[in-house]
Amino acid sequence: MSAAGLILLAAFGVALLLFLVIRTKLQAFIALILVSYIVGLLSGMSSGEVLDAVSEGMGGTVAEVAIIIGIGAMFGEILKASGGAERLALTLMNKFGEKRINWAMVLTGFIISIPVFLDVAFVILVPILYSLAQKTGKSLLYYGIPLLAGLAVTHSFIPPTPGPISVASLLGANIGWVILFGFIAGIPAAILAGPIFGTYIAKKIHATVPKEMMRNMAEEAKGKQYEKDLPSFRMIAGLILLPLFLILLNTFGSLLLSEESTWVSIFTFIGDPGVALTITALVTFYLLGTRRGYSKEEIQEIATKSLEPAGVIILITGAGGVFGTVLVEAGIGDVLADTMSNLNMPIIVFAFIVASAVRIAQGSATVAMVTAASLISPIIDTLGIEGPMLALLVITIASGATIASHVNDSGFWMVNRFFGLSEKDTLKSWTVMETIIALVGFSITLVISFFIS
């Protein structure tokens, strides 16, 4: 097939994927697998070659992400069940003081979304936002936008959350570098989209606690009693930071020590993302489970429940790996690389545009990340991209997959419902916040790419 034909085939594959997900409401995992079959056969691959590519893509991708996402989900679930999210929020609010509670909210969201899924963390913490709005008379957005910004940034930028883990696996990026660049891009993005934008938009839109949500607010006396039963702040913060520390120790320990050192071998093992999360999960099960009175059966139930959403993410990521492998075998990667070269377009810009287009078209950040990574992965080998640049591409794709959340995204309606906003005001607040995060993240990765490319 000609180069032009392969480009058209890649465009057709993405368009078909979007049609199946948006119009027919076909589950993203099935849609990705089906499109992979169709693109492979239309490219001229034999049926046997297509099946081999599907098997290779699924097996290779799932082998990398299944342990990380699965154990990470268990870690987050036990943290949620123990009240860890509430402890972080209450402690940081006390530390920052009443005048800077919005800054405490963005930091709370930034930390808690490392182990806990965004929507789950938001639902857990929204009663605190209601209480603050009732006490101060301020708009819910004054506290809510900073919390959401912190949650959204970490959810998209910093492993071991599923999104960046999935993209890192598809691109072959080092998780330690992804974490480092995730913090570098994520902190200013959270500040600008959180307390700064939140203060501005709260003056424009006065959101009050929805009447139907009032019953979810706890009485102040009950809250004080409940706070006594929460785990300590130091324990929660330590557990969340433990896997990040071990992963970074692996990534940068080898740069500081001789490769022949025994310590490098130790750091390499315990700093592997799967091993680091396994260690953290076991410690968490003991400290937040057994030690706090949970039975073995209750801990097992919590861990099993966490695998329900994790399983879907693992399968979608695996299907993304299948799509990427088919594109590679069909030769589309070489063609896309040549096209980018002729257009003089940096791969950072190309990756952001692709992720943004898929995100705006179909809504799901996860599907946008996986689809964009699948299209980018064939180009990487052709261009010889490696090392830290791969991690930058992960954050770039995550930025594009965050942009412009609107009516086709479940997050849009979650904020609309819990804040009692109209669709117009949700677009002005939540959608703009997500876009700020995306543009700041992309801008920072673009600048860094000039220094490391």
Side-chain angles (χ1 to χ4, degrees):
M1 185 177 288
S2 66
L6 287 173
I7 291 177
L8 289 175
L9 180 59
F12 167 75
V14 175
L16 179 60
L17 174 64
L18 296 178
F19 172 78
L20 292 173
V21 172
I22 298 170
R23 299 295 297 176
T24 70
K25 303 300 180 183
L26 191 64
Q27 214 283 332
F29 167 70
I30 300 176
L32 279 163
I33 295 295
L34 180 59
V35 170
S36 298
Y37 287 140
I38 294 172
V39 169
L41 292 172
L42 291 178
S43 71
M45 296 170 63
S46 68
S47 58
E49 290 173 332
V50 172
L51 293 176
D52 287 342
V54 169
S55 178
E56 178 186 344
M58 177 61 75
T61 306
V62 170
E64 291 189 25
V65 304
I67 294 175
I68 300 172
I69 294 177
I71 296 179
M74 293 182 190
F75 170 41
E77 189 68 22
I78 190 71
L79 197 70
K80 181 193 82 170
S82 69
E86 292 93 332
R87 166 54 69 198
L88 275 174
L90 294 171
T91 301
L92 290 174
M93 285 163 53
N94 291 333
K95 295 289 185 182
F96 276 77
E98 186 175 335
K99 293 183 179 180
R100 294 186 294 275
I101 287 181
N102 55 340
W103 289 88
M105 288 292 99
V106 71
L107 184 56
T108 297
F110 196 92
I111 295 173
I112 202 61
S113 194
I114 293 174
V116 181
F117 293 140
L118 183 153
D119 52 347
V120 175
F122 177 70
V123 171
I124 292 172
L125 295 173
V126 76
I128 295 177
L129 301 180
Y130 291 166
S131 178
L132 288 170
Q134 289 279 49
K135 289 179 182 178
T136 64
K138 292 181 179 290
S139 171
L140 263 176
L141 297 178
Y142 182 77
Y143 306 107
I145 289 296
L147 175 64
L148 287 166
L151 291 170
V153 164
T154 311
H155 180 76
S156 296
F157 289 5
I158 301 176
T161 51
I165 283 289
S166 301
V167 178
S169 173
L170 292 169
L171 301 188
N174 181 283
I175 300 298
W177 282 109
V178 176
I179 291 173
L180 179 62
F181 290 138
F183 274 102
I184 292 173
I187 291 174
I191 291 172
L192 289 172
I196 293 177
F197 174 66
T199 300
Y200 166 80
I201 198 64
K203 296 177 182 177
K204 303 292 183 180
I205 303 172
H206 187 79
T208 57
V209 181
K211 292 181 179 179
E212 64 271 22
M213 297 295 179
M214 290 289 287
R215 62 179 179 273
N216 295 326
M217 294 180 59
E219 297 292 336
E220 186 175 350
K222 288 184 180 179
K224 290 180 179 179
Q225 179 63 38
Y226 176 58
E227 186 175 352
K228 295 178 183 178
D229 299 328
L230 298 176
S232 72
F233 172 81
R234 289 185 179 181
M235 181 188 296
I236 297 300
L239 289 171
I240 292 173
L241 295 176
L242 177 58
L244 302 183
F245 172 75
L246 293 176
I247 293 170
L248 291 172
L249 196 64
N250 171 26
T251 301
F252 301 107
S254 59
L255 299 177
L256 302 175
L257 300 172
S258 170
E259 292 185 4
E260 299 177 355
S261 171
T262 304
W263 284 108
V264 171
S265 299
I266 295 173
F267 293 161
T268 300
F269 179 73
I270 65 174
D272 176 84
V275 176
L277 279 168
T278 300
I279 293 171
T280 303
L282 292 174
V283 173
T284 303
F285 287 158
Y286 172 71
L287 292 178
L288 299 183
T290 304
R291 193 173 171 185
R292 291 176 59 81
Y294 285 87
S295 67
K296 295 177 182 178
E297 290 75 18
E298 288 173 328
I299 295 174
Q300 185 181 49
E301 184 179 348
I302 291 171
T304 302
K305 179 182 177 183
S306 70
L307 294 179
E308 295 175 7
V312 174
I313 295 170
I314 291 169
L315 288 174
I316 291 176
T317 304
V322 169
F323 189 36
T325 302
V326 169
L327 293 178
V328 170
E329 296 299 323
I332 294 175
D334 294 337
V335 174
L336 289 176
D338 291 340
T339 303
M340 281 175 43
S341 178
N342 294 334
L343 294 174
N344 199 26
M345 179 183 292
I347 190 171
I348 286 282
V349 176
F350 180 72
F352 180 77
I353 291 173
V354 170
S356 298
V358 179
R359 160 68 160 178
I360 293 170
Q362 57 77 47
S364 169
T366 301
V367 174
M369 286 188 192
V370 170
T371 304
S374 300
L375 288 169
I376 296 299
S377 60
I379 304 174
I380 290 174
D381 291 336
T382 303
L383 298 180
I385 297 172
E386 58 185 14
M389 190 65 184
L390 291 174
L392 271 186
L393 281 172
V394 173
I395 305 303
T396 301
I397 290 173
S399 298
T402 303
I403 201 169
S405 166
H406 59 95
V407 295
N408 60 1
D409 179 23
S410 61
F412 177 93
W413 296 108
M414 177 184 71
V415 174
N416 174 273
R417 174 173 175 266
F418 279 97
F419 286 175
L421 299 172
S422 65
E423 285 78 6
K424 181 180 179 181
D425 285 343
T426 310
L427 288 168
K428 288 181 178 180
S429 53
W430 162 257
T431 303
V432 173
M433 181 208 80
E434 289 272 88
T435 304
I436 291 172
I437 291 172
L439 294 178
V440 173
F442 168 63
S443 299
I444 292 174
T445 57
L446 183 62
V447 170
I448 295 175
S449 69
F450 292 129
F451 294 95
I452 67 172
S453 59

